[in-house]
Amino acid sequence: MNGGFWARRSVALYLLAWLMLGVLMAALLVAAQGAAVGAALLFALPTMLFYASACGFSAYYLCRAYPLAQRRLGAVLLVFLFSGSTAALLWCAAGSAWAGLCALLLGEARAVAVTRPVAALLFGIGVLLYWMTAVAHYLALEFERARRAETQALEARLLAQDAELRMLRTQIDPHFLFNSLNSISALTGIDAGRARDMTLQLAGFFRQTLGMEAHRRIALREEVALLERFLAIEGVRFGARLRFEQDVGIDAAACLLPPMILQPLVENAVKHGIGQRLDGGRIALRAQRAGSLLRIRVENDVDADDAPQGRGKGIGLENVRQRLAAAYGRESSVHWAREDETFRVDLVLPAEAETKEE
């Protein structure tokens, strides 16, 4: 319905423009021949509307048949030179016929006479108007092509983000699920209650991740809740060796961000940091809103003798960088650094406020 509205409005504006041209043409006839205003309008407006329809359909189909990107410019100019001249000649013939009919209705003394100067004027105006209509059609087609390309690019971007999230899940699921099932198996004979709790936590974690879409945004508090589920499950395996601290401001908690954007960072912290230390360590999450920016820091303890974190293949920092670049472009940044026995990742992205649905 909306498309039909725009189509009707476009046609109305197109015809209105031609009616204004008809009024100008009537003024020229009044000035050139001294014709009565009513007779000039009676001649100019119908002939102009007739030519508007002829130009509109003819130029539209020729513009589609001869796209500028696929045809030589010389061939396109030759086609429109011929078609414009032909249309103008036909318009002159139609104008002469209409002038004769008006002479029968009003009398020759009051009707507009299509003399040679008037015919030449009609021919020149007709060629120019035909070319202008063709140029307008080419501009409209180019605008349509650009809008379609933009829509396709947006769809491709959303599909790529969905594929990224699916890939992220396939990377997380196997070894995380394997380790969790091993822990549940070990707990079954020792502490059935804890095994049951861990099974429920594991089910809740995967249920929550499956409900996420990559092109949507979730509040930081939801992302933190997902991390807490993840670390609670890992905590069964690591016990007191794994400690989690968080300092998330109230304003920051309501900010939106891509789902599971922090998951690779925390998983890397567990795998490459805490998992490599005999006495375990600490993972800290800090988030604050600074004006129009959301600043997030994830840091963890690492073994002083271990290789620099984040160089492995698979889930990692580059994945986070690419997802933020796809979502925010240059408005976001990711930086990481290692200082002694601490590895730190800093994320900066636009602070998009959470909106309440009515």
Side-chain angles (χ1 to χ4, degrees):
M1 185 173 180
N2 190 41
F5 167 76
W6 281 102
R8 290 193 297 270
R9 194 172 78 166
S10 298
V11 171
L13 290 174
Y14 177 76
L15 294 178
L16 179 61
W18 281 85
L19 283 175
M20 293 174 64
L21 292 173
V23 173
L24 291 176
M25 180 179 173
L28 288 175
L29 292 174
V30 171
Q33 288 190 347
V37 175
L41 290 173
L42 181 62
F43 171 79
L45 294 183
T47 55
M48 192 63 72
L49 289 177
F50 168 77
Y51 195 53
S53 302
C55 283
F57 285 107
S58 174
Y60 174 80
Y61 287 109
L62 282 178
C63 288
R64 287 195 172 271
Y66 292 87
L68 294 178
Q70 301 175 13
R71 302 279 186 168
R72 291 184 302 173
L73 181 60
V76 173
L77 293 177
L78 185 62
V79 166
F80 279 97
L81 177 63
F82 175 77
S83 59
S85 301
T86 303
L89 286 173
L90 292 175
W91 189 36
C92 291
S96 298
W98 177 245
L101 182 59
C102 289
L104 292 176
L105 297 175
L106 302 177
E108 294 185 2
R110 299 180 59 188
V112 173
V114 181
T115 60
R116 287 188 176 181
V118 172
L121 179 64
L122 286 177
F123 179 81
I125 293 176
V127 172
L128 290 177
L129 289 177
Y130 189 91
W131 290 348
M132 290 174 62
T133 304
V135 170
H137 278 304
Y138 272 126
L139 290 175
L141 290 174
E142 183 63 22
F143 175 77
E144 180 184 350
R145 185 199 64 79
R147 186 174 59 179
R148 186 166 55 249
E150 183 180 355
T151 302
Q152 292 174 349
L154 178 60
E155 291 175 352
R157 178 176 169 181
L158 295 180
L159 289 174
Q161 289 180 345
D162 282 333
E164 268 191 86
L165 187 56
R166 285 194 296 270
M167 180 183 68
L168 182 59
R169 287 174 184 149
T170 60
Q171 291 171 328
I172 292 175
D173 294 353
H175 68 269
F176 172 58
L177 182 60
F178 177 76
N179 291 334
S180 299
L181 291 177
N182 277 344
S183 300
I184 292 173
S185 177
L187 283 173
T188 302
I190 303 174
D191 191 337
R194 289 180 62 195
R196 180 179 179 278
D197 291 341
M198 186 174 181
T199 303
L200 294 175
Q201 289 175 347
L202 186 63
F205 174 82
F206 283 111
R207 186 182 301 111
Q208 187 173 354
T209 59
L210 289 174
M212 294 180 176
E213 298 180 35
H215 59 273
R216 298 287 177 87
R217 300 282 192 267
I218 64 172
L220 177 57
R221 68 169 70 90
E222 298 178 53
E223 183 81 357
V224 173
L226 182 65
L227 296 179
E228 289 176 338
R229 281 184 181 272
F230 172 79
L231 292 173
I233 297 169
E234 291 286 15
V236 177
R237 184 158 60 98
F238 288 95
R241 293 173 57 208
L242 176 59
R243 301 184 301 278
F244 179 57
E245 302 173 359
Q246 59 169 300
D247 180 14
V248 179
I250 298 177
D251 293 341
C255 291
L256 303 177
L257 72 170
M260 298 183 71
I261 197 69
L262 302 180
Q263 175 71 29
L265 305 180
V266 175
E267 186 178 3
N268 273 351
V270 173
K271 181 178 179 181
H272 299 289
I274 310 305
Q276 305 301 319
R277 293 168 56 94
L278 294 177
D279 56 347
R282 170 190 59 95
I283 299 175
L285 170 67
R286 295 181 175 84
Q288 297 295 330
R289 178 170 181 172
S292 61
L293 297 177
L294 174 64
R295 299 182 180 274
I296 302 175
R297 170 174 291 186
V298 178
E299 62 181 17
N300 60 275
D301 298 330
V302 294
D303 192 339
D305 298 327
D306 194 16
Q309 184 176 346
R311 291 186 179 179
K313 296 181 179 179
I315 305 172
L317 300 169
E318 197 59 35
N319 183 290
V320 175
R321 183 197 293 277
Q322 291 175 1
R323 288 191 65 199
L324 286 179
Y328 302 106
R330 296 184 179 180
E331 296 182 79
S332 64
S333 64
V334 182
H335 300 284
W336 57 84
R338 175 172 174 169
E339 296 179 0
D340 298 328
E341 296 186 14
T342 301
F343 187 82
R344 181 179 66 251
V345 182
D346 290 311
L347 282 67
V348 179
L349 57 151
E352 298 179 354
E354 185 179 18
T355 57
K356 296 183 179 179
E357 297 182 358
E358 295 182 359

